[in-house]
């Protein structure tokens, strides 16, 4: 057995109450999960997997997916979670980045490359490569280590106090850090974990009625849950949220809907191991705060010139933690530029309050946060421009009450072509994951520009929000998509 996370899972699975259920499937007992992991390990070793090799793991929020992760770790390999229904462009980009030879889906092992991946010292001791959107449009592979994530789980165990009698409901994809740590923490605690494949109000209501005690969900899910009437949660004791900004109004609505439930907002990034700050539901005067650092985290707020910002002054939030990433896969230059000394540059703008809490006031990066998913606008633009009738495209996140941000796109067609918005939307839907498909598309003769004459994402909304002829120019599409 290799790696601290494998040891944590094995110890958790040995606890008598541990079980992994599925809302729409049979689930698996602790002994079945352990047996599945052993089969995966044997299959990988027979296929010649080497220590620290990346192995793609097809994720469908099934109980067996966690057994597969354990089997990959027992074989000494590094898991690369990728959704079973990932778009072809996304799957191809991740395969190019990792150069992995093997993909495992349950117990089905496929060869996806002819040659072994190169040996990389960055993957020594690594547990996961989690891909996030980058400002260049290419996915970034964040390499996370066993020991660092094990330390984070210990911090979160102390902070959140999961219990063996808890029923932890996770409607979050296990391809992202929030879903991964929430699931591992439940196993570590010997609790019952319930994986939800598709979030709906009815699904969550049934889980609450069945005795859910802890819910892990992004704010978009909470907004949708409350919009259709908060379902009773007779045994619900905690709601954990993160992945996007929690608005003061939403926090108050959650606390008002379930007065006996503790709301815990967790701020962090994949690169820092997640959950760098925490804020528990409290006084209205604290609204908008991300709270205080979790154990082992320190921070700076700095001006553009790198000097410390004064109390109340806005600057970039930079974080130091022992639970952070090894680095970006095959991108030493990006890894180096993402740090100032030993502090990770979040790109978020923040200020320190007199009470010692930190407040996020904006983002200096252009990454779109839609429904808790971080999306590169350039990735969407590149996909739209791959259509043979499209000459140019520009995307931006526009504030949206339900999603946090909706994706708006301005598209310029090639001369003489008559592509419709509906045709382009269907094409994008076939080539991008659902949550990356623009919610609003507007055709224009030119891209919006700023004072310098350069194309400006900040100006996208000036065109998309004034468009009223939805039958020919814009098509609002606002599915939850997470």
């Amino acid at each position: 057995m290799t790696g601290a996370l494998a040891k944590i899972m094995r110890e958790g699975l040995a606890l008598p109450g541990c079980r992994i259920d599925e809302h729409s499937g049979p689930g698996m007992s602790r002994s079945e999960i352990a047996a599945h992991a052993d089969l995966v390990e044997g299959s990988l070793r027979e296929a010649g997997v080497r220590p620290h090799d990346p192995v793609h793991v097809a994720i469908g929020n099934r109980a067996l997916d966690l057994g597969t992760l354990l089997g990959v770790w027992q074989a000494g390999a590094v898991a690369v979670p990728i959704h079973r229904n990932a778009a072809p462009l996304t799957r191809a980009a991740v395969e190019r980045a990792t150069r992995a030879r093997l993909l495992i889906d349950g117990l089905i092992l496929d060869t996806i490359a002819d040659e072994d991946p190169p040996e990389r010292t960055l993957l020594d001791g690594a547990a996961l490569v989690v891909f996030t959107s980058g400002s260049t449009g290419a996915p970034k592979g964040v390499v996370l280590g066993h020991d660092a994530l094990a330390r984070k789980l210990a911090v979160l165990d102390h902070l959140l106090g999961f219990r063996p009698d808890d029923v932890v409901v996770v409607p979050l994809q296990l391809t992202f850090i929030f879903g991964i740590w929430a699931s591992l923490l439940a196993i570590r605690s010997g609790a019952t974990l319930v994986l939800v494949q598709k979030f709906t109000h009815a699904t969550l209501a049934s889980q609450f009625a069945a005795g859910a005690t802890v819910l892990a969900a992004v704010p978009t899910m909470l907004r949708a849950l409350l919009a259709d009437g908060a379902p009773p949660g007779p045994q619900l004791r905690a709601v954990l949220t993160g992945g996007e900004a929690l608005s003061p109004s939403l926090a108050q609505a959650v606390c008002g809907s379930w007065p006996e439930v503790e709301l815990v907002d967790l701020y962090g990034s994949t690169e820092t191991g997640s959950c760098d700050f925490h804020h528990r539901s409290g006084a209205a005067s604290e609204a908008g705060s991300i709270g205080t650092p979790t154990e082992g985290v320190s921070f700076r707020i700095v001006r553009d010139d790198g000097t410390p910002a004064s109390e109340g002054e806005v600057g970039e939030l930079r974080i130091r933690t022992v639970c952070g990433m090894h680095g970006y896969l095959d991108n030493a230059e990006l890894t180096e530029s993402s740090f100032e000394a030993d502090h990770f540059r979040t790109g978020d703008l923040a200020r320190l309050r007199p009470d010692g809490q930190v407040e996020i006031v904006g983002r200096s990066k252009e990454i779109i946060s839609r429904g808790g998913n971080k999306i590169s606008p350039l990735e969407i633009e590149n996909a739209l421009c791959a259509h043979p009738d499209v000459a140019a495209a520009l995307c931006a996140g526009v504030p949206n009450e339900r999603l946090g941000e909706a994706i708006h796109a301005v598209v310029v067609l090639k001369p003489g072509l008559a592509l419709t918005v509906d045709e382009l939307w269907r094409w994008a839907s076939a080539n991008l994951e659902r949550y990356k498909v623009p919610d609003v598309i507007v055709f224009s003769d030119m891209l919006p520009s700023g004072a310098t004459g350069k194309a400006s994402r900040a100006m996208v909304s000036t065109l998309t929000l004034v468009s009223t002829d939805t039958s020919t120019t814009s098509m609002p599409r606002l599915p939850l998509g997470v």
Side-chain angles (χ1 to χ4, degrees):
M1 179 165 25
T2 302
L5 294 185
K7 183 174 185 292
I8 286 171
M9 284 194 71
R10 278 291 187 178
E11 290 176 349
L13 292 170
L15 298 174
C18 185
R19 179 177 175 83
I20 304 177
D21 288 336
E22 302 166 4
H23 173 72
S24 57
M28 297 177 78
S29 69
R30 55 198 179 101
S31 60
E32 289 171 332
I33 289 286
H36 177 82
D38 290 342
L39 290 173
V40 169
E41 177 188 3
S43 180
L44 290 173
R45 292 192 184 280
E46 185 177 347
V49 72
R50 303 172 306 177
H52 318 306
D53 271 356
V55 173
H56 289 201
V57 177
I59 296 292
N61 270 36
R62 304 162 296 180
L64 63 82
D65 293 338
L66 287 162
T68 302
L69 289 176
L70 176 56
V72 170
W73 292 335
Q74 288 180 177
V78 181
V80 183
I82 184 164
H83 199 279
R84 298 182 77 206
N85 298 324
L89 290 175
T90 299
R91 187 180 298 274
V94 174
E95 289 176 2
R96 286 194 302 271
T98 65
R99 290 179 276 178
R101 182 170 61 89
L102 300 171
L103 163 71
I104 189 161
D105 185 347
L107 289 175
I108 300 173
L109 188 64
D110 287 331
T111 300
I112 56 176
D114 295 331
E115 299 180 355
D116 285 328
E119 294 187 6
R120 300 158 164 123
T121 57
L122 190 70
L123 294 182
D124 290 355
L128 294 160
V129 181
V130 177
F131 278 85
T132 65
S133 291
S135 58
T136 63
K140 298 183 296 183
V142 180
V143 179
L144 299 170
H146 276 278
D147 292 341
L149 285 177
R151 284 193 292 266
K152 179 63 75 174
L153 289 176
V155 168
L156 291 171
D157 181 53
H158 182 258
L159 177 70
L160 302 174
F162 279 19
R163 306 188 303 242
D165 61 344
D166 271 326
V167 178
V168 182
V169 178
V170 178
L172 303 160
Q173 293 299 325
L174 300 182
T175 53
F176 301 115
I177 190 65
F178 191 0
I180 292 170
W181 74 250
S183 299
L184 292 179
L185 186 60
I187 294 171
R188 184 185 192 274
S189 305
T192 296
L193 169 65
V194 181
L195 297 174
V196 175
Q197 284 76 32
K198 182 176 177 57
F199 169 87
T200 67
H201 185 280
T203 296
L204 268 292
S206 68
Q207 291 302 320
F208 285 5
T213 63
V214 178
L215 170 67
V218 296
T220 293
M221 293 175 173
L222 299 179
R223 281 190 290 270
L225 200 57
L226 300 185
D228 294 328
Q235 297 183 54
L236 193 66
R237 67 175 185 84
V239 172
L240 314 179
T241 192
E244 60 176 291
L246 177 69
S247 68
S249 60
L250 179 57
Q252 291 170 6
V254 171
C255 294
S257 298
W258 300 296
E260 305 302 319
V261 172
E262 182 177 45
L263 175 64
V264 186
D265 185 22
L266 296 153
Y267 166 92
S269 67
T270 305
E271 288 88 342
T272 56
S274 190
C275 304
D276 302 304
F277 286 78
H278 68 285
H279 181 264
R280 297 179 184 273
S281 51
S285 61
E286 297 176 357
S289 168
I290 59 170
T292 54
T294 52
E295 183 182 340
V297 171
S298 60
F299 70 95
R300 296 173 181 165
I301 299 176
V302 301
R303 304 185 182 101
D304 290 342
D305 62 5
T307 59
S310 303
E311 182 181 290
E313 183 181 5
V314 174
E316 185 189 28
L317 177 62
R318 300 179 180 178
I319 291 172
R320 180 173 63 186
T321 173
V322 295
C323 301
M325 65 176 178
H326 287 190
Y328 293 113
L329 185 67
D330 294 340
N331 202 331
E333 182 178 351
L334 179 60
T335 301
E336 183 177 357
S337 66
S338 298
F339 287 85
E340 181 272 317
D342 52 0
H343 282 69
F344 179 72
R345 307 181 65 167
T346 66
D348 285 333
L349 301 177
R351 59 177 163 235
L352 182 65
R353 293 181 171 186
D355 60 5
Q357 297 194 42
V358 172
E359 178 184 2
I360 298 293
V361 299
R363 293 199 311 277
S364 61
K365 298 178 180 179
E366 294 180 323
I367 295 298
I368 299 168
S369 180
R370 182 191 188 279
N373 295 293
K374 303 298 189 293
I375 307 162
S376 164
L378 186 56
E379 181 181 2
I380 303 170
E381 291 159 9
N382 290 341
L384 293 175
C385 289
H387 190 287
D389 294 352
V390 173
L394 199 65
C395 296
V398 175
N400 178 271
E401 183 176 354
R402 182 165 179 250
L403 298 170
E405 285 185 319
I407 303 171
H408 286 211
V410 176
V411 174
V412 178
L413 297 181
K414 293 177 181 177
L417 297 178
L419 182 71
T420 68
V421 167
D422 196 39
E423 288 170 343
L424 182 57
W425 192 87
R426 287 198 299 269
W427 187 89
S429 298
N431 288 277
L432 288 166
E433 284 86 359
R434 185 181 180 189
Y435 66 87
K436 296 178 183 177
V437 175
D439 301 294
V440 173
I441 297 175
V442 171
F443 288 153
S444 176
D445 292 333
M446 63 182 65
L447 296 181
S449 59
T452 63
K454 295 181 179 179
S456 170
R457 290 194 181 95
M459 300 295 290
V460 164
S461 62
T462 64
L463 288 181
T464 58
L465 292 180
V466 299
S467 177
T468 57
D469 185 1
T470 58
S471 65
T472 59
T473 56
S474 67
M475 182 167 291
R477 305 275 186 167
L478 299 171
L480 184 57
V482 294

